[in-house]
Amino acid sequence: MTGWILRAEGLTKGFTLHLQGGTRIPVLRDAALTVEPGECVALSGPSGAGKSTLMRLLQGNYGADAGSILLRRPDGGVSDLATAPPREVNALRRDTIGHVSQFLRVIPRVPALEVVAAPLIARGMAREEALDRARALLRRLNLPDRLHGLPPATFSGGEQQRVNLARGFIAPFPLMLLDEPTASLDAANREVVIALIGEAKARGAGLVGIFHDLDVRDRVAHRVVEVAPLREAA
Amino acid sequence: MSDDPILSARGLSLSFGAVRALDGVSLDLWPGEVLAIVGESGSGKSTLLRVMAGEARPDAGAVTYRDTLGASMEVHGMGEPALRRLARTEWGFVRQDAREGLRMGVSAGGNVGERLMATGARHYGSIREEAARWLERVEISPSRIDDRPGTFSGGMRQRLQIARTLVTRPRLVFMDEPTGGLDVSVQARLLDLIRGLVSDLGIAVALVTHDIAAARLLAHRLVVMREGRIVEEGLTDRVLDDPRHPYTQLLVSSVLAA
Amino acid sequence: MSTPMPESGYNFAYLDEGTKRMIRRALLKAVAVPGHQVPFGSREMPLPYGWGTGGIQVTAAVIGPEDTLKVIDQGADDTTNAVSIRRFFARVAPGLRTTERTAEATVIQTRHRIPETPLSEGQVMVYQVPQPEPLYKLEPRRAETRRLHALADYGLMQVKLYEDIARQGRVGSSYDHPVMVGGRYLMAPSPIPAFDNPKMHMSPALQLFGAGRERRLYAVPPYTEVRSLDFEDHPFEPLRANGHCALCGARDTYLDEMITDDRGGRLFVCSDTDHCATRREEKAA
């Protein structure tokens, strides 16, 4: 068997707000998720149910209180993101986990083209080749050439979103995390994203996404996993 | 990515009278990694930096540096000649006050060229060319090469200090509040410059800052200090987005949209 | 010992034997570590600081009644400073011969010049040094300059040369131009013109340096490498005035400029009076 790309089990996550008298907010308890190669899994559930928290756990942005997040790396080895030391998490983000959020964290003064090419350069690709590929992908996402050399800080929401998508899809990550990838896109660009997701699946990547656009969700997702609010589930 | 840290601190303690500036601090820094040390004034972060760089001696504990050849050496036991040699070859130090990090009576070109000359460069033309290249790289017009830093703005002085430090391509650079005391717009430019240079050159950086946004932009890892101790450490975005310790939560919540 | 006692009641060559031993010990150390500044207990001398008290103590410590002493100031044997030092030794060192001839001298005390006549084995040069520390203007802290010497950390000196070239197009020091001795110590050659620096390199003579006020001695043993600091593409140049001596016609000696009238008239003459006189005698013969 080819085996999973992602296997998360027993994931528990809550927050203790020390500034508010130590209030404890439980969000996930004993959550599990497995993603096979070529599979796209959509997370659903009401707002505040923990979809975003789960996505952040899978990206390593939040630390799990309990449980494991096993990832199969491109070299065939397995890492547990839940317990990996920071340097290993950074390595996983470079080689294993691709991520498209709805918010681009803008780095001052860095042009869009460089933002998109960065993951390739980080993997050791020659700069010129990386920039060429970045240019091609931005064109495919219909971002005009005149914007490629500008920092995205001044871009519209849709333009920023396309830079973000290009940065996420530029490298062949085994696992792709998509947080509202088609928000603020027009119909034509939505189709491009659907095609990109299809290509990622075809090369054997596993994808986990939150899709508010149910039409898009139904076209790309193999299955839908419900994330239930903890209070109701408990 | 190497598996051995370039610098390791173990059990560092240092008191100034009744004040425990460092209280059992241990940390590792790996080659090519940017580690931010954050905390409020008096948390011990600058003292920690000076102890790591061999500029202050701890009451207890050890700092180990692993050199280019992989040999381990005890920073506080190697003796002054070896430490000074390191400080002008494999290490660098960028100070908050550029006047401490620069020679104010020497031209910009001489400031950048000093480390080259200290490591044996004896061709005036090449030294000058390299200095001009570095001025350009830190966005100072090469036409200012013969001007003294006294005629430069605060941001330019700091960029000059960075050029002066990085010109010999050190493996490890200590930075103490490099953006402190600068206007916000000037800070952003400087941070971006540091970010680019550090990643291009693959330098390990120990960065002391109270600027959370700077830490987020530059650092792979973050250490939060309070009263001479490390209260929280980890991946930069995880510590800032999912802080566990009450003090870290306070620190993060005090920052506007970091 | 057949050393004749001076009639005046002074010890031979003024200094008591204990002081001489102390200075000789310091000199031995200085010779053993070429270019390294050795502290010594400088004594009060019967002339003010700045008049060569360091050089006189060194001379007094090494000279014997069988020696022949030459004293020059700016190359000349007949200036006030040279004459008074020569007279001083004639008074306190009975038996000592004095000369103006470089070739005849066994000990040559000098301020600001090295004779044009090449030195030979067995000769001792004694330099009067106002400031022994070559890094003095760059790093005023004495403890720090000592540390820089100990670590051979001389980048700072090179920075100064860099600044000279950047500002003036050439290395700026026309005298007291710093040298590296034996590839190890940075040394002030005393305020001799840069023109004289090459004469120090591999000299057959023993070269001793005394700074009275600063209480430092240093030395360059015979046949020691002495390199003037420079850059590969701005090599050290031993500068001299572009002219010839009005008296002997020499074109290869260090020249002093003389103003001859108040209408801008001027001429050059050899700074080394003995060398110039010898050349004129040879011509006349």
Side-chain angles (χ1 to χ4, degrees):
Chain A
M1 96 180 193
T2 48
W4 41 261
I5 296 275
L6 164 73
R7 187 180 184 89
E9 286 177 327
L11 273 185
T12 298
K13 177 63 185 173
F15 298 92
T16 305
L17 307 180
H18 293 284
L19 304 183
Q20 290 166 36
T23 308
R24 172 114 194 119
I25 303 175
V27 180
L28 293 175
R29 185 180 305 144
D30 210 17
L33 178 68
T34 300
V35 180
E36 303 289 332
E39 185 184 34
C40 179
V41 177
L43 304 181
S44 85
S47 171
K51 299 188 301 287
S52 291
T53 296
L54 180 55
M55 288 291 266
R56 282 173 178 261
L57 284 169
L58 297 181
Q59 212 250 328
N61 181 230
Y62 284 174
D65 297 334
S68 62
I69 305 169
L70 302 183
L71 293 168
R72 201 179 304 280
R73 301 189 305 261
D75 65 8
V78 172
S79 292
D80 182 0
L81 185 63
T83 56
R87 292 173 65 239
E88 192 178 341
V89 176
N90 278 325
L92 288 168
R93 287 175 177 178
R94 187 188 62 215
D95 301 322
T96 307
I97 312 168
H99 178 226
V100 177
S101 82
Q102 10 175 4
F103 307 104
L104 179 64
R105 191 171 283 283
V106 177
I107 303 166
R109 301 203 309 158
V110 178
L113 198 63
E114 303 259 357
V115 171
V116 175
L120 291 178
I121 293 170
R123 288 161 159 240
M125 184 180 284
R127 204 181 134 73
E128 284 314 309
E129 190 186 349
L131 292 177
D132 283 347
R133 290 204 191 184
R135 195 174 296 112
L137 189 50
L138 285 173
R139 281 179 183 157
R140 189 171 167 198
L141 283 157
N142 304 303
L143 192 79
D145 278 20
R146 65 183 164 77
L147 295 182
H148 293 189
L150 299 177
T154 54
F155 291 7
S156 73
E159 287 161 350
Q160 288 197 6
Q161 175 70 349
R162 279 176 275 158
V163 172
N164 218 359
L165 282 159
R167 181 182 167 94
F169 279 99
I170 190 85
F173 294 104
L175 177 68
M176 296 285 299
L177 306 174
L178 310 173
D179 190 356
E180 306 269 12
T182 56
S184 57
L185 292 189
D186 60 21
N189 283 313
R190 205 154 49 227
E191 289 305 318
V192 177
V193 173
I194 290 168
L196 286 171
I197 292 172
E199 288 162 24
K201 286 192 283 193
R203 68 168 165 80
L207 296 94
V208 180
I210 299 172
F211 304 96
H212 272 188
D213 185 330
L214 295 185
D215 173 48
V216 172
R217 186 186 80 182
D218 292 343
R219 286 175 61 189
V220 300
H222 293 93
R223 60 193 171 95
V224 175
V225 169
E226 198 74 24
V227 181
L230 205 49
R231 275 172 302 255
E232 291 169 25
Chain B
M1 190 181 290
S2 160
D3 281 340
D4 293 318
I6 188 169
L7 196 79
S8 297
R10 289 293 173 270
L12 296 179
S13 292
L14 177 58
S15 298
F16 300 114
V19 182
R20 305 213 63 167
L22 295 178
D23 189 1
V25 173
S26 298
L27 57 78
D28 292 302
L29 178 62
W30 277 270
E33 181 186 50
V34 179
L35 173 72
I37 303 164
V38 303
E40 62 199 355
S41 306
S43 61
K45 57 190 195 300
S46 289
T47 303
L48 174 60
L49 199 69
R50 287 170 41 76
V51 169
M52 287 198 294
E55 294 189 352
R57 186 169 279 277
D59 298 334
V63 180
T64 309
Y65 172 67
R66 196 176 297 269
D67 75 2
T68 326
L69 304 170
S72 287
M73 46 191 83
E74 168 52 40
V75 167
H76 294 279
M78 68 173 71
E80 200 188 348
L83 192 58
R84 281 206 175 202
R85 189 192 58 75
L86 269 185
R88 64 174 192 246
T89 54
E90 298 183 21
W91 292 5
F93 208 124
V94 174
R95 315 207 176 249
Q96 175 176 5
D97 185 350
R99 281 169 301 187
E100 284 174 33
L102 293 172
R103 291 196 188 278
M104 297 304 282
V106 169
S107 69
N111 264 291
V112 179
E114 180 170 352
R115 275 171 74 105
L116 294 171
M117 292 182 251
T119 50
R122 289 293 180 268
H123 191 282
Y124 175 83
S126 321
I127 292 165
R128 206 168 160 78
E129 255 173 45
E130 184 74 359
R133 233 188 334 267
W134 270 93
L135 288 180
E136 208 151 21
R137 205 156 173 188
V138 299
E139 301 168 19
I140 296 173
S141 164
S143 68
R144 304 292 304 267
I145 193 167
D146 292 329
D147 294 347
R148 291 188 181 179
T151 66
F152 289 7
S153 68
M156 281 171 78
R157 281 183 202 175
Q158 213 52 308
R159 280 180 274 134
L160 179 62
Q161 199 190 170
I162 285 162
R164 167 181 163 86
T165 306
L166 299 190
V167 64
T168 50
R169 296 170 186 269
R171 303 171 66 220
L172 169 60
V173 175
F174 303 94
M175 297 190 184
D176 189 4
E177 302 276 10
T179 60
L182 298 176
D183 291 346
V184 174
S185 62
V186 176
Q187 280 185 12
R189 183 176 181 190
L190 186 65
L191 285 174
D192 179 51
L193 186 83
I194 295 174
R195 193 192 61 83
L197 289 172
V198 162
S199 83
D200 285 356
L201 302 174
I203 301 169
V205 177
L207 166 76
V208 158
T209 182
H210 65 262
D211 181 352
I212 300 292
R216 191 190 277 277
L217 185 65
L218 295 177
H220 300 108
R221 267 194 314 131
L222 193 65
V223 158
V224 181
M225 284 195 71
R226 190 185 193 208
E227 291 170 355
R229 297 177 190 217
I230 293 178
V231 296
E232 187 160 357
E233 63 183 305
L235 209 59
T236 301
D237 62 284
R238 193 184 294 180
V239 172
L240 295 180
D241 294 339
D242 186 13
R244 307 292 180 99
H245 191 275
Y247 177 69
T248 314
Q249 292 188 356
L250 178 67
L251 200 67
V252 171
S253 70
S254 331
V255 179
L256 298 170
Chain C
M1 293 277 281
S2 62
T3 305
M5 291 305 291
E7 290 168 20
S8 60
Y10 284 119
N11 197 31
F12 181 78
Y14 189 76
L15 295 176
D16 63 89
E17 294 305 314
T19 299
K20 285 185 193 171
R21 196 175 305 130
M22 176 270 292
I23 293 176
R24 286 172 192 157
R25 245 197 316 256
L27 286 172
L28 281 175
K29 185 171 174 184
V31 169
V33 191
H36 171 60
Q37 298 167 50
V38 181
F40 81 110
S42 183
R43 295 290 188 261
E44 288 287 330
M45 297 302 285
L47 77 170
Y49 288 128
W51 285 71
T53 53
I56 288 174
Q57 289 180 78
V58 170
T59 299
V62 300
I63 210 158
E66 65 286 354
D67 273 311
T68 304
L69 177 69
K70 170 182 163 78
V71 183
I72 50 173
D73 175 13
Q74 309 266 19
D77 297 83
D78 54 2
T79 53
T80 317
N81 191 233
V83 169
S84 62
I85 291 173
R86 202 162 49 233
R87 273 200 203 132
F88 170 76
F89 277 109
R91 218 171 64 228
V92 299
L96 179 75
R97 296 202 311 131
T98 61
T99 182
E100 297 194 355
R101 297 283 164 149
T102 298
E104 289 172 9
T106 54
V107 177
I108 302 171
Q109 180 169 333
T110 178
R111 175 173 175 267
H112 297 191
R113 277 307 312 274
I114 298 176
E116 304 287 0
T117 308
L119 301 173
S120 54
E121 280 184 20
Q123 288 187 307
V124 179
M125 283 288 292
V126 178
Y127 297 80
Q128 301 172 202
V129 181
Q131 178 49 259
E133 178 49 68
L135 296 164
Y136 167 71
K137 281 188 191 148
L138 303 168
E139 176 53 73
R141 290 168 300 177
R142 190 89 217 185
E144 181 62 16
T145 57
R146 271 206 296 274
R147 196 170 284 130
L148 294 176
H149 284 295
L151 302 171
D153 188 350
Y154 297 134
L156 193 54
M157 191 78 239
Q158 206 72 29
V159 170
K160 197 237 168 215
L161 298 192
Y162 170 94
E163 292 287 289
D164 285 346
I165 299 174
R167 274 164 217 293
Q168 317 169 60
R170 62 175 187 82
V171 170
S173 33
S174 51
Y175 64 91
D176 209 357
H177 183 95
V179 293
M180 281 299 287
V181 176
R184 174 58 182 85
Y185 281 97
L186 183 71
M187 189 186 91
S190 85
I192 58 171
F195 176 82
D196 283 345
N197 271 21
K199 296 176 189 165
M200 296 187 138
H201 177 59
M202 299 307 277
S203 171
L206 170 64
Q207 305 178 76
L208 306 175
F209 301 77
R213 189 186 48 221
E214 303 293 329
R215 299 187 168 85
R216 290 292 185 283
L217 301 174
Y218 50 101
V220 176
Y223 302 110
T224 300
E225 188 188 57
V226 178
R227 298 272 179 218
S228 300
L229 250 55
D230 64 358
F231 286 96
E232 290 159 16
D233 50 340
H234 283 261
F236 170 80
E237 277 181 84
L239 287 176
R240 67 184 287 276
N242 187 19
H244 63 277
C245 175
L247 301 175
C248 73
R251 294 179 176 278
D252 59 350
T253 60
Y254 191 72
L255 299 173
D256 286 338
E257 187 177 343
M258 316 260 292
I259 306 295
T260 53
D261 52 43
D262 55 5
R263 297 186 304 278
R266 55 186 193 148
L267 51 81
F268 293 106
V269 293
C270 285
S271 133
D272 185 336
T273 51
D274 163 57
H275 184 73
C276 191
T278 308
R279 271 177 57 88
R280 277 178 280 146
E281 280 163 26
E282 282 168 0
K283 266 192 188 168

